[in-house]
Amino acid sequence: SQFILFVDRYWDLTNLSRFVQPVHNIFLLILAETGLIGTVLLLNILMLPILKTWKTLDIRVQLAWLVILITGLFDHYWWSLQAGQLTLFLTLGLTLARMER
């Protein structure tokens, strides 16, 4: 979460306006904030349960994941706003509930 705080250091190099927003892609936003190692670790933590339980998941949970992944390519809603975070982690919880122990 340091992108907005440190972008002022680089404004002299560009001719862009001062209105700054983070990138509108969940995966690129995570990459910008955590780096390559953090992104790989986080995606492994999130993707492994999804891939292991995909065939046993209810169709509604599968559709929720598809909506999150597709809209996540165009908006950071699921990662940066509270309502999106609650929905994202509720979906993750429903996925983890299907995993075998």
Side-chain angles (χ1 to χ4, degrees):
S1 299
Q2 301 297 311
F3 175 76
I4 299 296
L5 299 177
F6 288 102
V7 77
D8 282 340
R9 295 180 184 181
Y10 305 104
W11 279 117
D12 296 334
L13 304 173
T14 64
N15 292 327
L16 300 173
S17 68
R18 302 286 289 187
F19 182 69
V20 180
Q21 288 190 357
V23 64
H24 280 67
N25 181 314
I26 292 175
F27 309 106
L28 292 178
L29 180 62
I30 294 170
L31 180 64
E33 291 186 351
T34 64
L36 188 59
I37 295 172
T39 301
V40 169
L41 289 174
L42 186 64
L43 288 178
N44 278 335
I45 290 170
L46 290 175
M47 293 304 290
L48 286 177
I50 296 168
L51 294 175
K52 285 183 179 180
T53 61
W54 184 258
K55 291 185 180 192
T56 63
L57 287 176
D58 186 57
I59 187 70
R60 293 170 289 196
V61 178
Q62 289 179 345
L63 288 174
W65 278 121
L66 290 175
V67 167
I68 289 170
L69 291 175
I70 291 169
T71 59
L73 294 173
F74 306 105
D75 197 8
H76 55 87
Y77 167 79
W78 304 106
W79 192 251
S80 57
L81 296 176
Q82 183 184 16
Q85 291 171 351
L86 291 171
T87 306
L88 174 67
F89 288 107
L90 174 67
T91 308
L92 181 62
L94 290 171
T95 301
L96 292 175
R98 290 288 189 162
M99 283 191 71
E100 295 179 14
R101 289 169 187 40

